[in-house]
Amino acid sequence: MDLGEKAVLVVGVARPPGLGRAVAVRLARSGARLVLADAIGPVAGDTGTGLAGAGTLRDVADEVSAISGRPVPALEVDPTDPASVTELVEAAVAELGRLDACCTFVGATGQGQGDGPLAEVDPAAWQRGLTWNLTATWLIARACVPALTAAGGGSIVSLSSYAGLTPVAGAGVVGVARAAVNHLTAVLARELGPLGIRCNTVCPLGVDPGDPRFPNPGLAKLAEREGIPLADWLARNIPLGRGQSADEVAATVEFLVSDASSFVSGVNLPVAGGAPA
């Protein structure tokens, strides 16, 4: 797919389970001009922190630069801080000259972010889960609107989850927050449509990337709660009988960024191997 040098900001490229990295690689191969970003902290490599490693961010930027044949900036951002998000978008526009699309893949799961049965979630963890999985998505989308409007329109693609489409016991706050992301996206599509801005989400179920840099401990925990191996859990819950690669999610994002999806907006797209939503 030829993206015709679209200017794209991808946020969340260095965190598990590797969705943002796969999106950046896909878009670079399709000719997009990119700025990459993530939240960086001393505790990284675990979805529960909401933070990624600085080394991983640099590695992804180097990988994408090699594919695109041009330097690709890798910027640090706090996606929960409005000022930091605004600065990121301004930096991306300064680098790229315009903004045609924004892809958001931030979020956090785990006990500290409200994992587990909802009646057992600590209120502080509940708030952190909402902040990282919902508020950050809204802040990034909100900050991109002026730049996308100035470009004559564009595409906002946000990460949601299958747990945001259908109740999943034990999924914790992330399911609640991602359901809200789906509603947020539907409303934004209506409000921003007159500006030529399309808004969609992707809702994966079982990302099994197979890359040690990008584990998916949350997926393994779902199988552990049922007392079965992960392969058996995937076969039971996904009609295709297997997990999905991060690139299979990235392929849908590539479509949603491209002009091939020019009349697709307000859609929460399941990427779930046939599992009923």
Side-chain angles (χ1 to χ4, degrees):
M1 186 172 290
D2 184 3
L3 294 181
E5 296 202 346
K6 285 185 181 292
V8 185
L9 171 63
V10 185
V11 187
V13 299
R15 66 191 50 248
L19 295 175
R21 175 260 170 197
V23 168
V25 167
R26 267 254 174 194
L27 299 186
R29 287 175 176 162
S30 297
R33 297 182 297 118
L34 302 173
V35 168
L36 311 181
D38 214 327
I40 303 301
V43 180
D46 182 343
T47 53
T49 65
L51 303 172
T56 304
L57 178 58
R58 288 193 298 269
D59 289 346
V60 173
D62 290 344
E63 179 183 9
V64 174
S65 295
I67 293 169
S68 65
R70 57 169 69 95
V72 175
L75 307 178
E76 183 176 348
V77 64
D78 179 353
T80 70
D81 176 43
S84 180
V85 171
T86 297
E87 290 174 5
L88 170 64
V89 174
E90 290 174 348
V93 173
E95 176 70 31
L96 299 172
R98 58 185 285 143
L99 192 64
D100 298 307
C102 177
C103 303
T104 301
F105 285 84
V106 298
T109 61
Q111 185 176 4
Q113 315 294 334
D115 197 17
L118 289 177
E120 301 174 10
V121 171
D122 177 78
W126 168 272
Q127 188 57 57
R128 286 193 295 271
L130 291 179
T131 297
W132 276 98
N133 293 295
L134 171 60
T135 303
T137 302
W138 168 67
L139 287 173
I140 295 168
R142 171 180 173 270
C144 288
V145 170
L148 293 171
T149 302
S155 176
I156 297 173
V157 183
S158 302
L159 176 65
S160 182
S161 169
Y162 182 79
L165 295 174
T166 189
V168 177
V173 176
V174 67
V176 177
R178 294 308 193 185
V181 167
N182 293 344
H183 186 81
L184 168 70
T185 296
V187 174
L188 286 175
R190 290 190 173 223
E191 294 178 345
L192 302 179
L195 301 175
I197 300 174
R198 300 181 294 107
C199 304
N200 299 285
T201 72
V202 290
C203 305
L205 171 56
V207 180
D208 188 16
D211 185 333
R213 296 179 300 168
F214 301 106
N216 192 347
L219 181 62
K221 286 179 182 177
L222 288 175
E224 288 174 7
R225 290 192 190 103
E226 296 186 24
I228 59 176
L230 178 57
D232 292 346
W233 187 93
L234 293 168
R236 175 187 298 179
N237 290 280
I238 300 178
L240 286 181
R242 62 173 178 83
Q244 63 200 109
S245 70
D247 184 64
E248 287 176 307
V249 180
T252 67
V253 177
E254 180 185 29
F255 167 70
L256 292 172
V257 168
S258 77
D259 292 339
S261 63
S262 58
F263 211 64
V264 179
S265 191
V267 172
N268 300 305
L269 181 61
V271 189

